Amino acid sequence: MIFVTSSSIKSDYILESVNELASLGISNIELSGGTQYQGSPIKDLKKLQNDLSLNFLIHNYFPPSKKDFVLNIASQDDFVRERSIDFARSSIHCATQLGLSFYAMHAGYLINMKPPKPKEDHFVMTQSQVMDREEGEKRMFDSFVKINDFARGKNIRVALENLFPIESSPECSLLTKPGDIFKFLDRFDDEKNVGLLLDLGHLLISSNYYGFDKEIFLKKLNKFYADKIFAIHLSGNDGKIDLHCQLHKDSWQLKALKNINLDGVPVTLELRNLGKSIILDQYNLVKRELDI
């Protein structure tokens, strides 16, 4: 099933984004960040869900907090880390209210950050000192155990998303290298409700920066961890920066998708700052290429 992220539509409020996508005939929508706080939108989203026959996913920073912050379950700031855990629990609760069975979030960062400035997409680094990676992974795992305990009680599956080297601080992101991703999957091997949100755009950037073979990584992932691929993200980039731009018919990501078992795996287009006609063209391109 092909989804489109709500943040592909530049709007202040989530209901506007959902209505805009629905007006294009897109009924599978991933609810994500990028809109302003407006209390709990769940009641209104349920109405749209029923009235327009929509399918939703919830991803990372949704619903937005009254006071914005960067969701970071690996944060060295204990207040931010606990707040991130609580936020994830709240998002999982929202997933149950919408009748969903899945929630995915970012793996975490080794540096403190602030939300993007108005009309910008990128986080603002608030320090230059990057936390020790081993310590950061420990914090991430400890946080995720708490989140998973809550999710299991709600019968919700949870996943972490592989990240990428950020240009201004390449080593600040977690789950960017094959070994780190496999370490996470092995750590939760016995947890059937824990998996990976595989972002192929992020993988492209990571493979270029670290010099690993992305094809070999995907073959190993498919061979040993196929049941751990809970969802997939697609978006175009130049192999260096996470641009969230257009895909093309010959894009590597579309070719890679054809070698992954997509039965029951939602594929989400993560586009940014593109017109509605381009969003619809991109949606139809993926549907054609995957023959869905």
Side-chain angles (χ1 to χ4, degrees):
M1 190 176 289
I2 309 300
F3 284 73
V4 175
T5 178
S6 60
S7 54
S8 64
I9 298 290
K10 198 68 174 176
S11 178
D12 288 336
Y13 300 107
I14 189 63
L15 298 178
E16 295 174 2
S17 299
V18 170
N19 273 308
E20 289 280 3
L21 288 172
S23 73
L24 297 176
I26 296 171
S27 57
N28 304 322
I29 300 169
E30 183 184 77
L31 305 171
S32 191
T35 55
Q36 296 178 20
Y37 173 79
Q38 56 178 147
S40 174
I42 300 302
K43 182 179 178 180
D44 291 327
L45 285 170
K46 285 188 74 169
K47 188 175 188 307
L48 287 177
Q49 191 179 37
N50 293 327
D51 291 350
L52 302 178
S53 299
L54 303 179
N55 299 304
F56 290 137
L57 295 172
I58 290 183
H59 173 246
N60 202 51
Y61 190 66
F62 184 86
S65 176
K66 188 172 185 179
K67 185 176 181 181
D68 265 345
F69 75 109
V70 176
L71 192 64
N72 184 7
I73 61 172
S75 179
Q76 54 196 303
D77 184 324
D78 289 336
F79 176 78
V80 172
R81 188 162 71 101
E82 288 300 323
R83 189 180 179 193
S84 297
I85 294 169
D86 288 342
F87 186 97
R89 288 171 175 154
S90 177
S91 295
I92 290 166
H93 179 64
C94 289
T96 64
Q97 291 179 295
L98 290 171
L100 311 182
S101 61
F102 173 66
Y103 170 68
M105 64 188 305
H106 291 174
Y109 305 93
L110 302 176
I111 200 168
N112 290 327
M113 293 182 280
K114 294 191 300 186
K117 297 178 181 178
K119 299 184 179 180
E120 293 185 4
D121 292 326
H122 303 293
F123 297 148
V124 180
M125 306 294 179
T126 60
Q127 66 179 79
S128 58
Q129 183 67 36
V130 177
M131 180 173 44
D132 176 73
R133 182 166 291 268
E134 186 175 339
E135 172 63 19
E137 285 185 345
K138 181 181 183 305
R139 286 174 171 261
M140 178 185 73
F141 286 146
D142 288 348
S143 299
F144 193 71
V145 165
K146 295 177 182 178
I147 293 167
N148 182 42
D149 286 344
F150 181 82
R152 194 189 305 108
K154 296 284 188 179
N155 199 29
I156 293 286
R157 296 188 304 157
V158 285
L160 288 185
E161 178 179 359
N162 62 297
L163 297 179
F164 62 97
I166 299 173
E167 193 175 36
S168 57
S169 184
E171 297 302 328
C172 81
S173 303
L174 292 171
L175 292 199
T176 56
K177 307 173 187 177
D180 296 338
I181 295 170
F182 294 139
K183 181 179 179 180
F184 160 67
L185 294 175
D186 288 338
R187 170 69 173 76
F188 293 95
D189 181 56
D190 294 332
E191 299 283 351
K192 301 303 180 186
N193 67 306
V194 172
L196 175 71
L197 166 52
L198 174 61
D199 191 306
L200 291 175
H202 293 177
L203 181 64
L204 177 61
I205 296 171
S206 291
S207 66
N208 285 340
Y209 181 82
Y210 292 112
F212 65 83
D213 190 318
K214 56 187 180 294
E215 302 288 355
I216 292 176
F217 166 76
L218 285 179
K219 285 180 181 178
K220 183 175 180 180
L221 188 68
N222 281 320
K223 183 175 181 180
F224 297 107
Y225 305 93
D227 62 332
K228 289 291 191 179
I229 303 174
F230 283 4
I232 294 173
H233 273 180
L234 300 175
S235 63
N237 63 57
D238 60 358
K240 298 178 182 179
I241 301 173
D242 195 31
L243 298 170
H244 295 282
C245 61
Q246 291 175 252
L247 293 164
H248 302 283
K249 187 175 181 179
D250 60 350
S251 293
W252 168 79
Q253 295 181 51
L254 294 178
K255 296 176 183 177
L257 274 182
K258 296 177 182 179
N259 296 317
I260 299 174
N261 183 358
L262 297 178
D263 290 344
V265 177
V267 176
T268 297
L269 263 170
E270 273 203 313
L271 306 173
R272 296 281 193 281
N273 302 319
L274 301 175
K276 288 190 287 187
S277 62
I278 296 177
I279 292 171
L280 186 56
D281 286 345
Q282 289 284 286
Y283 176 71
N284 288 327
L285 169 65
V286 177
K287 287 186 70 175
R288 284 196 306 272
E289 288 302 304
L290 297 183
D291 195 24
I292 294 176

